Amino acid sequence: MEKAEITINDKAIERLKRKIILQENQNLKTREKSDQRMVAWIKEQIEEEAQCYLNQ
Amino acid sequence: MLLESIMLENFRQFRHGSIDFAQGKDGKNVTIIIGENGTGKTTFAQAFFWCMYGETEFSDKNMLNKIVAQEMTPSQEQRVKVTLKLWHGDVHYTLIREQVYHKEYSGKVKGDNTKFEIMRKDVSGNSKPMKRTQCESEVKSILPKELSRYFFFDGERIEKMSKDISSGKKAMDFAEAVKGLLGLNAMYSAIQHFNPRSKNGVIGSYESSYDARSNTKVQEYTRTIERCKTRIEEIDARLDELAEQITQANGRKQDKSEEIKQYAEGEELQRQKERLQQDIEHAKAMRSNVVKTICQDFNGAMSSFFSASLIVRALNFLFDKDIAGKDIPYMHAQTIEYLLKQKVCICGTHLDEGSVPYQKVKELIEFLPPQSISTTIGDFKKEAKKRVNSKTDLYGRVCDNLAVISQQDEDIENKIEDLQEIEKKLSSGDVRAKVRAINSEIQLCSQTISKCNSERDMLLQERGRKAQEAERADSERRNLTLLDDKNKKIEIYKAYAERIYEELQQVYISSEAEIRNHLQATINDIFKQIFEGGLYLTIDDKYHISVYANDYDGDVETSTAQSISVIFAFITGIIKMARENRNATDENAKLLSSEPYPLVMDAPLSAFDKRRIATVCEALPNTAEQVIIFIKDTDGSIAEEYLGDRIGSRHTFDKKNDFETVLS
């Protein structure tokens, strides 16, 4: 069966990658967020960006 | 990580003593600790290890000061305690390791297990003790044990350090740790947070959040994917074990094959055996080439071969059928439908329903695609004639190649018989017992290798099947989830997460290779400063360092001074690069920013001559953010001469007696 296509915005991916690495770097220094909280934070960022393009 | 202070209580010859370290204020980042031989420089350096990892390199594991132990009365308790204060990132840590000792009535002093505590003060100034279960992993994240030896640089134990990175599994941990120091930690953590294998990761949590109420199939597919992933994980773990076993067995087999050649009778037989093994390998490769040719021939000509008689029958049938020319080239049935609907032909004739022109144009539909058979039959005839004319002798070619294979099989069988003959001789009374024993070990290794290889092949096949099954289930689940609004959103978020995960992995691989090349260049620059002459260093993907001479093809044996220079260049190279990334203005380099680390060096200058001491002393405070040097009193004046304006803290070890040293 053919896999249904989902359009992904390349610019959003670039922005997310950068944001995530910077946050990971920051968190390595401060140890502010646990792994679980980091995962939740990443999901939040992805959902915000994706939702933004869905609305368009 | 930058060290603030260390305090020792009853630790070996130090009953009470503490040191505050220079941390770079006013450009002064060097702490020197001077002492005669035997005053306890090495012991003090080992106190860092003991505090952080609960280990030392002393053969006597009793850390309690001998005088204190002597003065203890039975049932009395005494404790050894090391408190290390440091900064890591923006967090201030206090590491405390403590061990309680008891004296038995027999006079024997025994220590309990050590207790390890960490107090953590974060940016906002809140201080709290960490859970005991988390302390060890926290230390690992501050400075992995595999790397600590390089930062707590011990010039007198250089050989052991070199061996650590050139052998076994430790090299892998070491490579991971180095990557972390070079700023890849953030990317690595991000990849781990996305990891689809973990249910708690970003991708994994999307996987498990589909709403299955709309369609129970979704749940079924999710379960299939999870089952496949679990199995793939098990397979990967087993594949790692097998790879390790194969490497070990190969190494052992090679060693033993060399050893057997030391015996005259063994040497000749072993040589014959290796020659035969090579011949068999070669013959097997030739055989598989012929098998490949048969498969290629079969795949290429199979359809013509099996359809030949049908094609001839079809051509005979079509021989007197006149269908050609009835249809209009490049015209489609939909074109006619359009004209009929418009009620006007291309030529301008009106096409009124029921009229003669209308009927004539309508009849054309039968000969036009998709219903038209004229063009299809024309194409079929063309293709059929081509196949009939170009019909290759597939049968003859396969027969010839099978004959070659049969010849090759016979040849391989003969060689295997010869090999078995040699094996028999190597295991029989023809050779002395030692040769037999070595040979049986070689055979054992070969058996292990072949057993592991076949298990690996089977597992790889199974892995492929499971990956395919998971991909199929994922694809089918996606088709279902996209029909439901809530699930559609999850599907889209997951697609974003998967794409980020993929790209992060690619960036990680390319950054790692780039960083390794840069590291190699940096290390060579530093190495050249310390060790002039035609030597250069290379770093492979496992971070093994090899020393080569410019005019000699092969690894060179290194002297102690060279080895120290290599490790020294290596670690200062890493520190320098990490520092460059931290101070960079380029945004991309900043992404690779990592922690500063101190260099704690025990007797680093002893192995160098005066000229090199000058170079090392000059390089040290410029490369590392913090330098702590334990130095022999005789080297003290040289160090003062070259490091003078960078020294922020000085200490001297004063030996009172064999069991007590006082810090001043």
Side-chain angles (χ1 to χ4, degrees):
Chain A
M1 194 188 273
E2 271 290 299
K3 199 170 181 170
E5 278 298 316
I6 292 174
T7 321
I8 292 172
N9 186 286
D10 291 342
K11 279 185 189 160
I13 294 285
E14 278 309 309
R15 239 189 335 263
L16 280 167
K17 264 183 348 195
R18 199 171 184 84
K19 219 173 181 181
I20 291 166
I21 295 177
L22 285 171
Q23 181 62 36
E24 290 281 7
N25 231 331
Q26 179 69 15
N27 198 46
L28 283 171
K29 280 185 191 141
T30 59
R31 315 236 152 225
E32 199 186 328
K33 290 187 173 77
S34 64
D35 280 340
Q36 253 175 329
R37 280 182 60 200
M38 266 311 288
V39 168
W41 182 86
I42 294 171
K43 283 174 74 176
E44 205 178 295
Q45 304 307 309
I46 291 176
E47 285 161 26
E48 258 176 41
E49 281 277 0
Q51 193 59 52
C52 177
Y53 285 96
L54 277 178
N55 292 341
Q56 280 176 15
Chain B
M1 176 182 87
L2 289 179
L3 300 172
E4 188 182 279
S5 68
I6 187 168
M7 190 164 78
L8 276 60
E9 289 171 58
N10 294 333
F11 188 85
R12 311 275 294 197
Q13 59 264 58
F14 298 93
R15 290 186 73 166
H16 298 283
S18 68
I19 286 183
D20 293 325
F21 301 107
Q23 291 175 69
K25 254 186 206 163
D26 308 322
K28 295 181 188 299
N29 60 350
V30 180
T31 302
I32 59 168
I33 300 154
I34 302 171
E36 289 173 34
N37 274 345
T39 49
K41 296 192 299 292
T42 306
T43 304
F44 205 90
Q46 287 289 316
F48 288 98
F49 277 109
W50 191 75
C51 182
M52 291 184 85
Y53 312 108
E55 289 175 11
T56 62
E57 289 185 1
F58 299 122
S59 49
D60 176 9
K61 298 296 172 201
N62 196 335
M63 299 300 142
L64 185 65
N65 177 274
K66 298 282 181 220
I67 299 172
V68 175
Q70 183 76 35
E71 288 168 355
M72 275 170 85
T73 52
S75 81
Q76 197 188 349
E77 273 184 12
Q78 283 290 358
R79 61 194 66 229
V80 175
K81 187 174 171 185
V82 176
T83 310
L84 183 63
K85 291 186 177 179
L86 57 92
W87 284 93
H88 186 67
D90 300 331
V91 182
H92 182 266
Y93 288 90
T94 304
L95 277 57
I96 305 162
R97 191 172 291 273
E98 210 176 53
Q99 190 177 23
V100 175
Y101 283 82
H102 309 270
K103 194 168 199 170
E104 292 173 356
Y105 283 92
S106 63
K108 206 172 173 189
V109 176
K110 270 189 170 176
D112 294 344
N113 287 337
T114 64
K115 278 185 195 160
F116 187 44
E117 274 174 48
I118 296 182
M119 292 290 291
R120 213 170 72 160
K121 199 198 278 179
D122 60 22
V123 203
S124 49
N126 294 327
S127 187
K128 59 173 181 183
M130 292 193 67
K131 282 184 193 163
R132 280 185 191 266
T133 47
Q134 289 175 352
C135 289
E136 302 290 338
S137 65
E138 191 71 10
V139 167
K140 199 177 176 197
S141 73
I142 295 173
L143 181 64
K145 196 161 85 185
E146 294 72 33
L147 269 184
S148 61
R149 285 201 179 90
Y150 299 85
F151 288 100
F152 296 91
F153 188 93
D154 186 342
E156 289 165 8
R157 294 178 178 81
I158 198 75
E159 290 304 318
K160 196 170 180 301
M161 290 160 76
S162 309
K163 271 181 197 162
D164 269 1
I165 40 172
S166 62
S167 67
K169 250 191 164 170
K170 269 193 176 175
M172 292 282 284
D173 299 340
F174 178 77
E176 289 305 321
V178 172
K179 287 175 202 168
L181 284 175
L182 293 176
L184 291 168
N185 256 349
M187 239 179 269
Y188 186 74
S189 298
I191 290 171
Q192 291 308 308
H193 286 141
F194 275 88
N195 194 356
R197 287 181 192 174
S198 158
K199 276 184 189 169
N200 301 322
V202 175
I203 297 174
S205 65
Y206 280 134
E207 289 271 0
S208 49
S209 57
Y210 286 114
D211 183 4
R213 276 172 300 181
S214 59
N215 196 327
T216 48
K217 274 268 176 196
V218 170
Q219 205 171 15
E220 202 182 305
Y221 289 135
T222 305
R223 271 201 296 266
T224 307
I225 294 167
E226 271 170 19
R227 206 184 53 241
C228 291
K229 281 185 179 170
T230 311
R231 181 63 191 140
I232 287 174
E233 226 166 288
E234 285 167 8
I235 292 175
D236 283 346
R238 180 67 188 142
L239 283 173
D240 282 347
E241 279 173 21
L242 289 172
E244 180 72 21
Q245 278 182 35
I246 292 171
T247 316
Q248 276 181 6
N250 263 326
R252 182 100 185 126
K253 190 180 164 187
Q254 258 174 16
D255 289 348
K256 289 289 151 191
S257 301
E258 285 308 310
E259 194 183 333
I260 209 167
K261 286 179 192 163
Q262 289 166 7
Y263 301 89
E265 70 274 30
E267 185 183 7
E268 184 45 36
L269 288 171
Q270 182 62 22
R271 283 199 198 291
Q272 283 177 21
K273 184 176 151 184
E274 282 173 13
R275 217 171 15 246
L276 275 168
Q277 279 171 334
Q278 274 176 4
D279 287 351
I280 291 169
E281 284 305 309
H282 181 69
K284 279 185 180 168
M286 298 287 283
R287 185 188 185 280
S288 61
N289 278 341
V290 181
V291 172
K292 217 183 211 163
T293 312
I294 293 179
C295 292
Q296 274 168 354
D297 284 347
F298 186 78
N299 287 339
M302 153 191 77
S303 69
S304 302
F305 179 79
F306 288 112
S307 58
S309 68
L310 286 174
I311 288 174
V312 173
R313 274 166 62 192
L315 283 175
N316 286 339
F317 173 77
L318 293 169
F319 182 71
D320 52 356
K321 300 276 181 292
D322 181 24
I323 300 165
K326 291 278 170 65
D327 51 356
I328 312 167
Y330 306 111
M331 190 70 90
H332 200 276
Q334 277 167 347
T335 322
I336 303 297
E337 278 164 9
Y338 173 79
L339 293 176
L340 294 176
K341 202 176 158 197
Q342 294 296 314
K343 297 187 176 174
V344 184
C345 181
I346 299 166
C347 61
T349 313
H350 282 273
L351 302 173
D352 297 322
E353 204 168 341
S355 66
V356 177
Y358 180 90
Q359 286 303 331
K360 287 276 179 203
V361 172
K362 200 181 173 191
E363 277 167 17
L364 281 172
I365 289 182
E366 286 173 31
F367 300 98
L368 293 176
Q371 284 93 353
S372 159
I373 54 165
S374 151
T375 319
T376 318
I377 286 176
D379 288 346
F380 173 79
K381 276 185 172 173
K382 221 186 279 171
E383 178 65 21
K385 279 179 187 155
K386 202 175 103 191
R387 285 197 188 197
V388 169
N389 293 335
S390 70
K391 200 175 73 181
T392 48
D393 183 14
L394 177 67
Y395 177 76
R397 283 222 309 267
V398 171
C399 283
D400 290 349
N401 280 328
L402 283 175
V404 175
I405 287 180
S406 156
Q407 181 63 44
Q408 283 170 328
D409 280 345
E410 205 175 307
D411 188 33
I412 293 171
E413 217 167 285
N414 288 339
K415 286 194 166 82
I416 290 175
E417 271 172 23
D418 293 348
L419 189 66
Q420 282 166 346
E421 208 51 47
I422 293 174
E423 288 285 7
K424 254 188 224 162
K425 280 186 192 166
L426 278 167
S427 323
S428 72
D430 290 3
V431 292
R432 67 188 96 170
K434 182 72 186 162
V435 174
R436 280 203 301 276
I438 299 171
N439 186 55
S440 88
E441 206 163 333
I442 294 174
Q443 279 178 332
L444 212 66
C445 290
S446 300
Q447 278 166 16
T448 309
I449 294 166
S450 113
K451 216 168 107 188
C452 289
N453 274 334
S454 52
E455 190 184 340
R456 184 194 59 191
D457 292 347
M458 270 167 54
L459 287 174
L460 282 172
Q461 279 176 15
E462 191 190 340
R463 194 186 190 286
R465 280 196 304 272
K466 290 287 166 200
Q468 249 178 9
E469 193 184 338
E471 204 181 322
R472 211 168 31 239
D474 184 41
S475 159
E476 299 199 9
R477 183 181 60 184
R478 175 179 282 199
N479 289 325
L480 290 177
T481 50
L482 287 177
L483 301 173
D484 173 82
D485 268 354
K486 192 184 167 209
N487 284 338
K488 186 178 175 183
K489 270 188 183 170
I490 296 172
E491 197 63 68
I492 292 170
Y493 300 153
K494 191 173 78 119
Y496 269 80
E498 281 172 339
R499 171 87 173 273
I500 297 172
Y501 176 64
E502 232 168 71
E503 291 194 10
L504 281 177
Q505 277 184 314
Q506 281 167 9
V507 176
Y508 184 84
I509 291 167
S510 63
S511 303
E512 193 272 325
E514 204 178 304
I515 282 173
R516 193 157 21 90
N517 286 337
H518 188 181
L519 179 64
Q520 186 173 305
T522 312
I523 290 177
N524 272 307
D525 281 349
I526 297 169
F527 186 64
K528 261 183 226 155
Q529 280 178 32
I530 313 167
F531 219 93
E532 290 152 5
L535 295 179
Y536 68 95
L537 309 173
T538 60
I539 305 169
D540 69 12
D541 56 352
K542 290 194 173 62
Y543 288 79
H544 291 158
I545 312 164
S546 306
V547 184
Y548 292 97
N550 286 332
D551 48 2
Y552 173 72
D553 192 18
D555 216 346
V556 290
E557 282 287 315
T558 53
S559 68
T560 309
Q562 270 171 1
S563 299
I564 294 177
S565 307
V566 169
I567 301 292
F568 176 78
F570 182 61
I571 205 64
T572 42
I574 290 175
I575 292 175
K576 192 175 173 208
M577 270 181 66
R579 197 179 192 184
E580 278 169 6
N581 288 338
R582 211 164 33 252
N583 297 333
T585 46
D586 174 12
E587 284 296 309
N588 285 330
K590 271 187 183 169
L591 288 179
L592 295 172
S593 156
S594 76
E595 266 293 293
Y597 277 91
L599 259 180
V600 182
M601 308 181 90
D602 182 8
L605 307 178
S606 321
F608 296 128
D609 54 35
K610 265 196 171 181
R611 187 176 56 79
R612 286 199 184 105
I613 290 177
T615 334
V616 169
C617 286
E618 210 173 80
L620 276 175
N622 293 328
T623 27
E625 241 103 347
Q626 186 180 43
V627 182
I628 297 158
I629 308 184
F630 294 89
I631 220 163
K632 268 200 293 196
D633 53 348
T634 45
D635 291 337
S637 53
I638 309 170
E640 287 270 0
E641 189 184 328
Y642 294 110
L643 292 165
D645 55 340
R646 306 297 293 268
I647 299 174
S649 178
R650 283 181 188 77
H651 298 274
T652 316
F653 282 164
D654 186 12
K655 188 175 176 177
K656 292 280 175 205
N657 52 52
D658 280 349
F659 306 112
E660 190 173 0
T661 295
V662 176
L663 265 170
S664 58

